[in-house]
Amino acid sequence: MKPDIKICGLKTPEAVERAVAQGATHLGFIFFPKSPRNVAPEVAAELADPVRGKAKIVAVTVDADDDELDDIVHLLKPDVLQMHGHETPERILHVRALYGLPVMKAFSVREASDLDRVDAFIGVADRFLFDAKAPAGSELPGGNGVSFDWEIMASLDDSVDYMLSGGLNKDNVGLALASTRASGIDVSSGVESAPGVKDLHMIDAFFDAIADAGSPRA
Ligand SMILES: O=C(O)c1ccccc1N[C@@H]1O[C@H](COP(=O)(O)O)[C@@H](O)[C@H]1O
C-alpha cells in the first residue's frame, strides 16, 4: 500500500508546486510563531488555493485556542487539523464538533511509555502522528529534525492508524517505512537547506528515496 506523504512547513509556491508534482498527499502549514516555518493564515491560503483538491491541506497548530482556530479554519479552509501540543481528548472532541474536520493528534516519543497516553485518544482523534520529543532547549514541539527509536512503534495497538515523523530524510525514510507499519510519513527539516527554507532538490531526493524503497508515489 502506498504511504501518505506529508511535506510540512511550506512557505513558498515553488515548494508547494514541487511537493504536489512529486505526489505529496498532504501539505502542512505551520501556525506557531516561534517556528521558522510559521505563516499567517492568509498566506497559507494563497499557497494552498492553486493546489486544492490535489493534496490534503493540513493546518498544524500547537495548543491553539478557539479564536486562533477560527481564523485558520475560515481563512485557510484546511482538510485536516494537526494538533501538535498538549491537547486533551476533551479538547479534540470539542474541535471536531466545532469545525467538522478530522483531527490528527501528534505525540512526542522518546521511550515506550510515551505511548501510554495514546489509549485515551483512540476513537477521539481521527489519525495519530508520532514525532520525536524535542531536544533540550528547543522551543519547537516539532520540526527539530531529530528521530526516535522506531522499534518503540511495535508496541502500539494495531488499531491505531498513524503517520511517522521526526528527523526523516532521504537517507532514512526507506528504513522508516520498512521497519514500522506507518500508513504515512511526514517531513519538514529533512527537505530543507536551512531552517524554514525548503530545497526543491531535497524534495525530489526524498520522493526518489521512497520510490527506491519500493513505495511508489501516490
Ligand atoms: O515544523 C515546525 O516548525 C513545527 C512547529 C510546531 C509544531 C510542529 C512542527 N512540525 C512538525 O514536526 C514534525 C517533523 O519535523 P522534522 O521533519 O523532524 O523537522 C512534523 O510532524 C511536522 O508537522
Side-chain angles (χ1 to χ4, degrees):
M1 183 138 151
K2 291 174 188 173
D4 284 345
I5 303 172
K6 173 165 169 269
I7 305 294
C8 202
L10 293 158
K11 286 169 61 180
T12 66
E14 293 78 15
V16 168
E17 278 163 26
R18 186 63 68 92
V20 170
Q22 284 287 12
T25 57
H26 294 67
L27 305 174
F29 297 95
I30 304 282
F31 302 100
F32 187 62
K34 289 178 181 167
S35 170
R37 305 167 188 100
N38 184 53
V39 284
E42 296 85 343
V43 173
E46 275 173 30
L47 292 167
D49 279 346
V51 296
R52 245 176 237 287
K54 294 183 179 167
K56 288 191 174 159
I57 307 302
V58 183
V60 181
T61 63
V62 181
D63 298 320
D65 62 20
D66 284 0
D67 286 346
E68 193 184 342
L69 286 179
D70 278 353
D71 268 2
I72 293 167
V73 168
H74 293 124
L75 289 163
L76 175 59
K77 301 180 179 60
D79 299 299
V80 179
L81 293 172
Q82 177 175 324
M83 309 198 83
H84 215 107
H86 301 94
E87 299 86 2
T88 61
E90 293 71 28
R91 176 71 185 147
I92 288 179
L93 287 172
H94 170 80
V95 167
R96 286 178 75 202
L98 199 56
Y99 302 113
L101 288 171
V103 170
M104 179 157 70
K105 175 70 186 107
F107 292 83
S108 304
V109 183
R110 184 177 294 137
E111 51 199 51
S113 61
D114 291 323
L115 300 184
D116 292 350
R117 292 175 50 240
V118 169
D119 278 1
F121 292 81
I122 294 177
V124 172
D126 297 273
R127 200 170 190 183
F128 293 74
L129 170 68
F130 294 100
D131 189 8
K133 264 211 168 115
S138 172
E139 291 197 292
L140 303 178
N144 291 297
V146 294
S147 303
F148 66 97
D149 177 3
W150 303 320
E151 284 190 16
I152 292 171
M153 298 312 297
S155 61
L156 187 69
D157 189 301
D158 279 350
S159 68
V160 177
D161 177 32
Y162 70 92
M163 277 198 175
L164 183 72
S165 73
L168 297 177
N169 57 49
K170 71 174 174 48
D171 298 320
N172 64 11
V173 66
L175 185 59
L177 286 167
S179 54
T180 68
R181 59 170 189 78
S183 61
I185 45 167
D186 182 1
V187 64
S188 190
S189 325
V191 292
E192 289 180 350
S193 55
V197 182
K198 291 287 181 283
D199 181 299
L200 303 187
H201 299 298
M202 290 171 81
I203 293 176
D204 292 344
F206 189 74
F207 281 89
D208 286 347
I210 294 167
D212 290 348
S215 298
R217 293 170 167 85

